[in-house]
Amino acid sequence: MPISISAAQNKALKAGGFASETEDFEGFATVSNVLEQYAVEFEMNLKKAMNEAGNIASGKLIDSFDFQIDKDGKTLRLYLADYFDYTNIGVKGVKSSRNAPSSPYKFKTLGMNEEGRASIKSYIESGKAKVNIVRKEFAKGGEKKKISLIDAKVNTLVYMIKKYGIKATFYFDKAVEMTFRDLEQKLGEAAVTDITYSINRLNTK
């Protein structure tokens, strides 16, 4: 979806976002609407990059996406769950760093909390992860305890992830590159539009 300066200006006009006849120009309505277009475009590209990466366990990460444009109309803030970077630049494993040799993140134990295990289970059930396992009984306290096949698969995948780490996919970096490559140019055009409109309004008073 190409970023449209004219669409941003039209939206500002319809919303009354420009200065009134009795007020000096204070905001950047077109710039603000252009930034909103970028935010929407970024979310679309983020979903695309995530799907191409193929190792995002659930939809919770993209659901955490949000954005805010400051009142001055010139600042766009993007929000995403703080673990987004784990599958972006990867995580070193407890036993091996080969999947993310340059990552600053590293697993320290082989265990995983219930929330993480639930995410792994969802990942397996989605069909994105293929885990082959020989089903067997596990002994505990002298008694044999059976676990479900899916739980056995979760145990196996959790162990493999924590042991070898998470491979870097750079999905976030790709989404940023796809979205914001022409940001400077478009914002410059939008700012000129806002300032020109303001000057014209002031000259007609």
Side-chain angles (χ1 to χ4, degrees):
M1 180 184 72
I3 304 301
S4 172
I5 302 299
S6 60
Q9 184 182 27
N10 289 335
K11 182 176 180 180
L13 288 168
K14 291 178 181 178
F18 290 105
S20 69
E21 295 181 359
T22 59
E23 295 177 334
D24 290 334
F25 181 75
E26 296 179 350
F28 285 83
T30 304
V31 170
S32 176
N33 291 328
V34 165
L35 289 175
E36 183 179 351
Q37 290 182 49
Y38 272 107
V40 173
E41 181 78 1
F42 179 69
E43 183 177 14
M44 293 171 57
N45 286 333
L46 195 61
K47 288 180 181 178
K48 180 180 179 181
M50 283 180 174
N51 290 332
E52 290 176 351
N55 66 342
I56 310 300
S58 70
K60 292 182 179 179
L61 182 56
I62 192 62
D63 289 343
S64 72
F65 175 79
D66 199 3
F67 71 91
Q68 178 183 0
I69 299 173
D70 286 3
K71 291 182 179 180
D72 63 7
K74 298 180 290 184
T75 304
L76 171 64
R77 302 182 189 278
L78 303 175
Y79 299 93
L80 202 61
D82 56 8
Y83 60 87
F84 81 93
D85 212 23
Y86 295 163
T87 48
N88 183 48
I89 61 176
V91 182
K92 296 176 182 176
V94 175
K95 304 289 186 181
S96 172
S97 300
R98 68 185 183 187
N99 280 329
S102 61
S103 174
Y105 308 119
K106 179 180 174 65
F107 291 126
K108 296 182 179 179
T109 69
L110 294 173
M112 186 175 288
N113 61 30
E114 288 304 313
E115 183 179 359
R117 289 178 60 85
S119 182
I120 295 299
K121 183 177 180 179
S122 175
Y123 186 37
I124 294 172
E125 291 177 334
S126 72
K128 294 180 180 179
K130 303 298 182 183
V131 182
N132 295 320
I133 189 170
V134 177
R135 192 169 184 175
K136 61 181 180 179
E137 296 178 341
F138 296 85
K140 182 178 180 182
E143 297 180 357
K144 289 184 176 180
K145 181 182 179 181
K146 292 184 177 180
I147 65 172
S148 67
L149 180 58
I150 184 63
D151 285 338
K153 287 183 176 182
V154 169
N155 290 344
T156 300
L157 188 52
V158 165
Y159 175 78
M160 298 298 289
I161 289 172
K162 297 302 285 288
K163 181 178 180 179
Y164 297 109
I166 297 175
K167 186 176 181 180
T169 63
F170 304 107
Y171 78 93
F172 185 84
D173 296 350
K174 292 174 183 175
V176 169
E177 171 61 24
M178 285 190 291
T179 306
F180 300 109
R181 66 185 72 184
D182 61 349
L183 176 65
E184 185 175 351
Q185 174 192 341
K186 291 294 185 180
L187 287 184
E189 293 173 6
V192 169
T193 298
D194 281 336
I195 294 171
T196 301
Y197 184 87
S198 176
I199 291 173
N200 290 338
R201 290 294 295 272
L202 291 172
N203 287 339
T204 59
K205 285 185 177 181

